[in-house]
């Protein structure tokens, strides 16, 4: 079964920590050991793993991406969100996290983030747990 | 069993939509539910998921990558394709897509792209389907 | 079972080829066919696949990332390694490699690299093998 989270983002560009929600879904699965694939079915946001302690890291990541791929970059795509599409391909649309003893095996400082690049929107996050 | 697609790219830099071919391979598998790993065994191309509607998005992605990593960037690698190697590491060599009811679970606007950075070439795309 | 490598990096920025070590771990597993998830539980390094022949490629990749995300970029994160966090999200914290006949299915020129962005440090690389 696919599990699904619904995440409401509140800004155009925003990293939203979804670690607790992913953990909550995993708690109800009977997956002792395996891999969790956390996936966004969208093309203007991504999923990334990064530091969950100092919130300045999130701001540094979004600011750096904004300098690399500015919102107004003379793009051909006419919807005004070409930068969001480009960032989505740089960051990626999923992460794979190892599961052991029914828990996500994350490093001490790791959190899982929905990387919103064209919000605010209601986003879905899909999860598939593979035993192995 | 590994499944394999052979893709002929026709330009140096090009996003090639391979969604239909991946779906075609999956149709012949007996995978009701799991994950498809779509992988390129190359170091100068990648795999990415992005919009499959407006073709301008593909051009914006390749143009933006070209600005970030120019072809002539004073690189040390002497084969003239260092930019392609760098882009391959930025985009990544695989995507993982959830499978349910024997179908790829892609968002409405999502397509799977071979990201050619050093074509034209004949490229292989490997697929592994994991039940779970 | 999760398998673990301990890798000592020797510079602040460095791509370390860990292909032989990953292969060594896999040899002791009874995985005939499936996927290997190679994962770093850190937020200032990543995992990437790229060329294993000409060492200049590694230097081109790290130099290009350094131009895109300079060490001194006026970041808010006060630990002096914001650039490393940003690069980790660009490169990604894991790769998925197909396994067949108990071997990694890598292309001729592909190696698996720990991408150190804030060394020198002792890093862990986690591996999970999924049969399928």
């Amino acid at each position: 079964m696919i599990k699904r989270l619904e995440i409401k983002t509140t800004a155009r560009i925003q990293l939203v920590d979804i670690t607790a929600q992913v953990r909550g879904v995993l708690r109800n699965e009977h997956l002792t050991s395996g891999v969790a694939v956390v996936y966004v079915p969208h093309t203007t946001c991504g999923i990334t793993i990064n530091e969950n302690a100092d919130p300045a890291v999130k701001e540094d990541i979004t600011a750096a991406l904004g300098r690399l791929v500015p919102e107004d970059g003379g793009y051909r795509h006419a919807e005004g969100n070409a930068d969001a599409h480009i960032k989505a391909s740089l960051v990626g649309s999923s992460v794979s996290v190892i599961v052991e003893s029914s828990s996500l095996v994350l490093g001490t400082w790791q959190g899982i983030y929905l990387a919103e690049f064209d919000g605010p929107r209601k986003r879905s996050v899909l999860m598939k747990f593979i035993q192995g």
Side-chain angles (χ1 to χ4, degrees), chain A residues 35-63:
Chain A
V35 168
V37 175
V38 183
Y39 182 92
V40 281
H42 305 291
T43 57
T44 54
C45 68
I47 294 276
T48 192
I49 289 173
N50 219 298
E51 168 160 337
N52 63 358
D54 178 6
V57 171
K58 293 192 296 183
E59 295 172 41
D60 286 333
I61 292 171
T62 54

Side-chain angles (χ1 to χ4, degrees), chain A residues 2-132:
Chain A
I2 301 177
K3 299 296 171 176
R4 181 187 293 262
L5 294 173
E6 302 295 339
I7 306 291
K8 272 192 188 162
T9 62
T10 59
R12 181 163 197 270
I13 313 277
Q14 184 182 30
L15 292 198
V16 180
D17 189 337
I18 60 170
T19 316
Q21 288 107 307
V22 174
R23 282 206 171 103
V25 172
L26 182 59
R27 246 190 306 267
N28 295 315
E29 298 288 303
H30 301 286
L31 179 73
T32 48
S33 172
V35 168
V37 175
V38 183
Y39 182 92
V40 281
H42 305 291
T43 57
T44 54
C45 68
I47 294 276
T48 192
I49 289 173
N50 219 298
E51 168 160 337
N52 63 358
D54 178 6
V57 171
K58 293 192 296 183
E59 295 172 41
D60 286 333
I61 292 171
T62 54
L65 286 169
R67 283 190 295 270
L68 293 176
V69 187
E71 182 175 352
D72 183 0
Y75 305 109
R76 298 201 43 201
H77 184 50
E79 294 181 18
N81 61 359
D83 62 318
H85 287 286
I86 296 159
K87 291 170 181 173
S89 274
L90 287 175
V91 162
S93 55
S94 74
V95 293
S96 294
V97 181
I98 297 172
V99 174
E100 201 70 41
S101 305
S102 304
S103 298
L104 294 174
V105 181
L106 291 171
T108 311
W109 308 107
Q110 285 186 321
I112 305 173
Y113 289 91
L114 171 72
E116 175 63 86
F117 298 127
D118 191 34
R121 293 196 192 210
K122 199 173 154 190
R123 298 294 198 176
S124 297
V125 177
L126 308 181
M127 282 158 291
K128 182 77 188 174
F129 302 104
I130 302 284
Q131 185 82 30

